[in-house]
Amino acid sequence: MADVGATVIRVREESDLDDLEGLLIPGGESTTISLLAQRSGLFDPIRTLVSDGIPVYGSCAGMIMLSDRVLDGREDRPSFGGIDIAVRRNAFGRQVDSFEADVVMPVIPGDPFPAVFIRAPWVEETTDSVEVLARVADPGSPGRIVAVRQGRLFATSFHPELTPDRRVHQYFLQIVKGDA
Ligand code: GLN
């Protein structure tokens, strides 16, 4: 986010959450993020921030953490929730553990976004309160949902930080500023 003009701080303790204008939950392993958040005492404060409506962007494992329902998750590793979706962890399966796809995302101007997926989730259920921002082709389905927004909560199955293209980060900055 720093290269699109945001001042970035890493959240390590509860006081780091004071005065944030937005929060980014990165990729990694959602079960580990959940465990570390619980152990560090950050789980409840972050859940409160999310439900208070602070702008939050979750990518990949971060998307899982923002999902109200997690399929193939672990009972003892809850998500923060916030977006009224069900995501399936590691949904794209073994053969395509990692892949790149050009994703058409109308909220992002210009060419399709070169999206990198790593053991990525997809969104399996949504409700009317959730805006579907992007899908990727998958034979036998109308396209798997890989980007969603609900209010100021935004999530993608892919990792935009792994390509030089910064349009997804710019979009989140617009959400933070109230311009999108
Ligand atoms: N498979 C991971 C999980 O379930 C997500 C992978 C990622 O963030 N690249 O949390």
Side-chain angles (χ1 to χ4, degrees):
M1 290 303 298
D3 48 8
V4 295
T7 305
V8 175
I9 66 159
R10 288 174 194 271
V11 173
R12 297 183 198 281
E13 52 192 70
E14 196 174 342
S15 60
D16 294 332
L17 296 170
D18 296 343
D19 307 323
L20 288 185
E21 289 172 273
L23 178 67
L24 193 150
I25 306 176
E29 196 58 46
S30 52
T31 51
T32 307
I33 295 174
S34 178
L35 178 70
L36 293 178
Q38 290 175 71
R39 283 202 183 147
S40 59
L42 285 168
F43 190 90
D44 287 331
I46 292 177
R47 187 161 55 183
T48 304
L49 265 190
V50 173
S51 63
D52 283 352
I54 189 179
V56 187
Y57 170 35
S59 74
C60 203
M63 170 190 255
I64 296 167
M65 292 306 296
L66 284 178
S67 302
D68 281 349
R69 294 172 296 286
V70 180
L71 309 170
D72 296 334
R74 278 181 57 163
E75 287 291 310
D76 57 341
R77 302 280 189 269
S79 61
F80 302 125
I83 305 183
D84 196 1
I85 52 176
V87 290
R88 187 171 296 281
R89 294 180 62 219
N90 305 325
F92 286 98
R94 274 170 188 270
Q95 294 111 319
V96 284
D97 262 351
S98 300
F99 63 100
E100 207 172 317
D102 286 335
V103 170
V104 175
M105 217 166 150
V107 292
I108 286 180
D111 294 337
F113 190 84
V116 176
F117 295 82
I118 301 170
R119 299 185 68 231
W122 67 43
V123 178
E124 208 155 293
E125 294 160 20
T126 64
T127 61
D128 287 347
S129 38
V130 178
E131 206 183 330
V132 173
L133 302 182
R135 296 175 185 262
V136 292
D138 184 35
S141 95
R144 299 297 182 179
I145 299 169
V146 294
V148 290
R149 178 169 172 184
Q150 181 173 359
R152 298 199 294 172
L153 305 179
F154 166 54
T156 63
S157 301
F158 54 86
H159 285 268
E161 76 283 7
L162 296 180
T163 45
D165 194 321
R166 285 289 163 267
R167 285 175 294 160
V168 169
H169 292 78
Q170 276 156 356
Y171 176 64
F172 179 54
L173 200 59
Q174 284 182 296
I175 295 177
V176 171
K177 291 180 171 172
D179 295 339

